[in-house]
Every structure is written in structure tokens, then in C-alpha cells.
Amino acid sequence: MKLNRLELSHYRNIESLELCPCDGINILYGDNAQGKTNLVEAVWLFTGNPSFRGGKLRELARFGQDEARLKIRFEDREREQEAELWIDGAAGRKKALLNRVECRTAGDLNGAFYAVVFSPAHLSFVKEGPKNRRRFLDIAISQIKLPYRNYLLQYEKLLDQRNALLKNASKYRNLEQNIEVWDLQLAKAGTILSIFRYDYIKKLQTLSARIYEGLSGRKESLGLRYLSTVFEGTEEPTAYDTATVEQYCRKLKESFQSDLYQGFTGIGPHRDDLEVEIDGRSARVYGSQGQQRSSVIALKLAEAHLLKKAVGEDPVMLLDDVMSELDVSRQDYILNHLKGMQVFLTCCDISNTMKLRQGKVFHVEGGRLREETAVDSPSEEEGCPCICT
Ligand code: ATP
Ligand code: MG
């Protein structure tokens, strides 16, 4: 996957901008608050996902402007395509066009343009509660298994309905019996999501452990564990069948009284977690800044390799401020593993990345871009074998 051109107007602090990146590494450098993350975020929106920074749509339009317009030309192995996003800041709506045809929703861009993003915001993935880890899984899986997003939407709708019943329990007679109909539907969708997640984590575990081992110079190990509120303590589900759905229903029945008391459903994929461990201990509780950052980077690189395996080509890598807090050997390891991919890498200080001697360098200042002289190409022997063999 290659981004050939990016055009932005009235997007965040960018009044108007055109970027023609190279196929390899594109370095976007500049002082704080100049627009580097804004650029990376703009590219990310074309995956059909919301911003990795969270926030509201209206925040994306430049102050004092009603509408932001974003356009990319990109190519996969087959052809060049064009996508546009029109963000109506005043109304808080966005419209997506793929090859000039309006999409039903911006989410329909999912499956057309592929990218993997790392931003400092992703450190909350290890540092904070499970919400961001579930979000990571949901976005990563929906990029490679297109039906996943629909199952997730279906599950969330059913969950809202069940929670509404629980909250208004006094209005319903025989709720415990009647809720079984909802439970069955919820259990079906929840089982499917759990199977997708177990399967994805298994693959992610193998790859990210190998990457983390390399990043840490074989000194530390990374482990992942899916903590399921439904299937914990039992054999993990690998196939969708009646027995697994029944098992899920039994769990819902067991938690009914506490759900009723709390007014919401306490078990299911919306409450599950992904435990990240370094040397067998929680990265959240015991990890250093560098270890936490390295574990998120390992997961992101592994995500990129899994995406490549699933769709047959490298995703565009968006690495926002990835190098901070990492020692030189960890930085080198990351740079070596980006070989063959189109990368957008932001930093404040170019000296760290100049050793790449490859690609394009852009200086970002006040929402404007200035391309600097291209640096030399690397010699063949500087290449590093891809880990995804
Ligand atoms: P850092 O190195 O600190 O991460 P950065 O270059 O990545 O900086 P950005 O996060 O891209 O900086 O933000 C650049 C500027 O964009 C900030 O000063 C921010 O206030 C501004 N900004 C954000 N949203 C809007 C908006 N809707 N309109 C105008 N400016 C905005
Ligand atoms: Mg930034």
C-alpha cells in the first residue's frame, strides 16, 4: 500500500497543504505544536477509523472554518485510487468518497486503505485501563476480518438493549425469564467476537514476542494473555457451536443478579482485557517507560505484519514520535524492520533518524511543509531480513 499524494485544506492548524511522499521512509520533523501529529492523523482517518487522539469531529476543522477537506491518492498492487473526506465541523458530520463515489459511512473506507499507527496516545494502551486495549483489538481485527466490525456493532446494540432492560427492571414482570431471549442473541454475537479475539491474540503473541526479543537485545520477553470474563478458567473457544453459546448463556444467567444490582451487563467482550507482560510481570504495573513504549511498538509492528499476511501487502506505517525514550539499539531495531514499507515518521530532532540515509525529509512549521534535500540511499548490506518469514 502506497500513499502517492495527500492534500489537506482547513484541517486543524493546516490551512492548505500538499504532500508527495516517497515509497520508503518520510521523515516529518519540526518543533512542538507545528502540525506533525495532525498530518499523521489526517492520513489515519482514511482507514475509516476515528482519530487515534479521540475527541470530536468538529475539532478537526480549522478554527474559524466550517469544513475541512482531505484527499489522498493511493495505490495497492492493482491500481491507483482516490479517497476524500469532507468534515463538516459545524454539524459534526463527515462524508467519505472513494473514487468519487460517496460511501454509506466513512467506515466503508475500511478495507480500501490500510495503515497501522503508533502515537504517544497509544501508550495509554499499556499504562491505563482495558478500554484502549479492547479498542486496539477491535481496530486491528476489523482491518483484517471485515465482518468483525458488523458483529461488534450488533453486539453493542444488543448490549445496550439488555442494559436498558436491567436499568428499568422494575417496569418488567418476570424479567429474569424474559431476558433469556436477549441473552441468547448477545451470547451468539459475544461468542463470535471472543473467537476472533482469541485467534488474533494467539498470532499477535507469537510475532510480538519475537519482535520484543529483538528490540530488547534478547534480554527481556513479552507475553500476552486474553482475559475473558466469559471463558476464563475454561477451554478457550476455537469454533462457533451450540455448546459454546450455551456456556456463554449460563455465564450470563449466573451474573444476572449482580447485573441487575449494577444496572449493566458485567461480563462479555466489552469487559474483557488483554494482559501485556514483560518477563512474566504486568507491563502496566512494573514496566519502565522504555519497556512500556517498546511493548506497544512490538504490538504495532506485529499488527502490521499480520495485516500484511491477511491482505497481501504492507500497510502504510504511521509512527508519531516513536523514538523518544528509546535507546539507540532499540531505535536501530525499529528502523531496520520498516524496510520495504512506506513510513511516515515524526520527530522533533532529525539527528536521531538521519542515520537512515534514505527517503524524504520534510520540515513542518506552522502547519506548512518544506521538503528538504533527499538523503542518500542505503547500501544493500544495510538491509535487514524481514521477521515475517
Ligand atoms: P508535538 O511535537 O508537540 O507533538 P506536533 O507538531 O505534533 O507537536 P500537533 O499535535 O500536530 O503538533 O498540533 C499542532 C497545532 O495544531 C497545535 O498548536 C494545536 O493547538 C493546533 N490545532 C489543533 N486543532 C486545531 C484546529 N482545529 N484548528 C487550528 N489549530 C488546531
Ligand atoms: Mg505530535
Side-chain angles (χ1 to χ4, degrees):
M1 181 70 51
K2 296 273 177 335
L3 180 73
N4 291 337
R5 189 181 176 84
L6 168 72
E7 289 172 38
L8 302 176
S9 77
H10 299 148
Y11 183 77
R12 294 232 191 232
N13 74 330
I14 297 160
E15 189 182 342
S16 168
L17 176 147
E18 285 176 21
L19 168 67
C20 294
C22 71
D23 290 355
I25 297 187
N26 297 277
I27 299 166
L28 306 163
Y29 84 100
D31 290 343
N32 295 132
Q34 299 307 310
K36 304 180 298 292
T37 303
N38 292 347
L39 269 164
V40 164
E41 179 190 43
V43 178
W44 170 252
L45 293 179
F46 285 97
T47 60
N49 290 299
S51 169
F52 50 82
R53 295 210 270 211
K56 307 231 160 46
L57 261 185
R58 68 179 141 77
E59 293 159 14
L60 303 178
R62 189 167 154 81
F63 298 150
Q65 300 290 334
D66 287 338
E67 191 179 66
R69 291 217 176 188
L70 301 79
K71 185 171 170 181
I72 57 167
R73 293 197 71 81
F74 63 100
E75 67 180 78
D76 52 25
R77 273 170 313 171
E78 281 157 23
R79 59 186 173 136
E80 196 186 48
Q81 302 193 67
E82 181 184 287
E84 286 173 80
L85 282 170
W86 298 354
I87 296 163
D88 184 338
R93 270 199 306 262
K94 73 178 162 187
K95 187 152 107 178
L97 291 91
L98 184 60
N99 301 317
R100 301 196 184 159
V101 177
E102 189 175 339
C103 302
R104 206 174 32 90
T105 68
D108 289 353
L109 293 176
N110 190 19
F113 178 72
Y114 294 103
V116 167
V117 65
F118 169 89
S119 97
H122 289 107
L123 294 175
S124 61
F125 179 86
V126 177
K127 291 180 177 185
E128 290 169 16
K131 198 170 153 207
N132 291 315
R133 290 184 283 279
R134 289 193 292 264
R135 198 171 131 82
F136 161 74
L137 288 175
D138 291 338
I139 291 177
I141 302 172
S142 56
Q143 286 214 84
I144 60 173
K145 305 272 185 193
L146 295 182
Y148 184 85
R149 185 185 285 263
N150 287 336
Y151 286 122
L152 187 63
L153 291 174
Q154 196 186 330
Y155 177 81
E156 284 168 351
K157 213 165 135 189
L158 289 161
L159 186 67
D160 284 349
Q161 286 163 338
R162 188 179 193 267
N163 287 345
L165 287 176
L166 292 168
K167 270 198 197 90
N168 300 299
S170 55
K171 289 191 200 154
Y172 304 100
R173 256 195 257 159
N174 301 327
L175 181 62
E176 189 161 5
Q177 280 79 48
N178 294 337
I179 210 166
E180 280 177 11
V181 184
W182 295 103
D183 283 4
L184 180 62
Q185 298 309 316
L186 191 68
K188 284 180 178 172
T191 301
I192 294 171
L193 293 183
S194 304
I195 291 169
F196 271 121
R197 285 188 184 173
Y198 270 114
D199 179 57
Y200 186 77
I201 290 167
K202 205 180 285 166
K203 292 171 183 151
L204 194 71
Q205 153 74 38
T206 316
L207 267 173
S208 57
R210 219 185 306 166
I211 294 169
Y212 192 89
E213 194 183 56
L215 260 174
S216 67
R218 299 185 187 279
K219 290 193 198 105
E220 299 156 14
S221 66
L222 181 79
L224 296 180
R225 233 162 12 105
Y226 187 51
L227 305 178
S228 166
T229 46
V230 176
F231 298 104
E232 190 71 5
T234 64
E235 213 169 293
E236 70 184 55
T238 48
Y240 179 82
D241 53 30
T242 319
T244 316
V245 176
E246 280 171 359
Q247 187 183 343
Y248 197 125
C249 286
R250 273 198 301 280
K251 275 276 184 183
L252 281 172
K253 215 172 165 53
E254 278 166 33
S255 76
F256 177 76
Q257 286 305 331
S258 92
D259 289 355
L260 194 61
Y261 179 72
Q262 296 180 101
F264 63 85
T265 308
I267 60 157
H270 65 290
R271 305 280 290 178
D272 293 351
D273 198 358
L274 173 66
E275 177 87 298
V276 182
E277 294 173 338
I278 296 169
D279 291 339
R281 291 204 173 83
S282 162
R284 183 170 63 84
V285 182
Y286 299 105
S288 73
Q289 304 257 67
Q291 284 177 320
Q292 290 179 339
R293 184 172 279 260
S294 302
S295 55
V296 179
I297 293 167
L299 290 171
K300 287 285 168 181
L301 291 176
E303 179 192 352
H305 285 294
L306 288 177
L307 189 52
K308 179 183 180 177
K309 250 186 181 164
V311 304
E313 56 186 309
D314 284 309
V316 171
M317 290 300 287
L318 305 169
L319 303 176
D320 187 24
D321 199 15
V322 76
M323 299 303 187
S324 320
E325 293 167 356
L326 294 183
D327 57 41
V328 175
S329 62
R330 290 188 192 222
Q331 290 184 11
D332 277 348
Y333 185 87
I334 294 168
L335 296 174
N336 284 335
H337 275 86
L338 300 172
K339 203 171 171 256
M341 297 184 185
Q342 188 185 40
V343 181
F344 293 82
L345 191 126
T346 78
C347 56
C348 289
D349 176 9
I350 196 160
S351 59
N352 278 342
T353 42
M354 275 304 279
K355 59 172 114 80
L356 279 172
R357 295 183 291 119
Q358 183 188 23
K360 280 189 176 183
V361 177
F362 299 90
H363 184 235
V364 186
E365 192 173 20
R368 291 198 187 85
L369 268 187
R370 191 186 69 238
E371 186 178 339
E372 299 196 340
T373 332
V375 277
D376 304 334
S377 291
S379 58
E380 273 302 306
E381 61 272 21
E382 278 173 302
C384 159
C386 173
I387 59 146
C388 198
T389 48

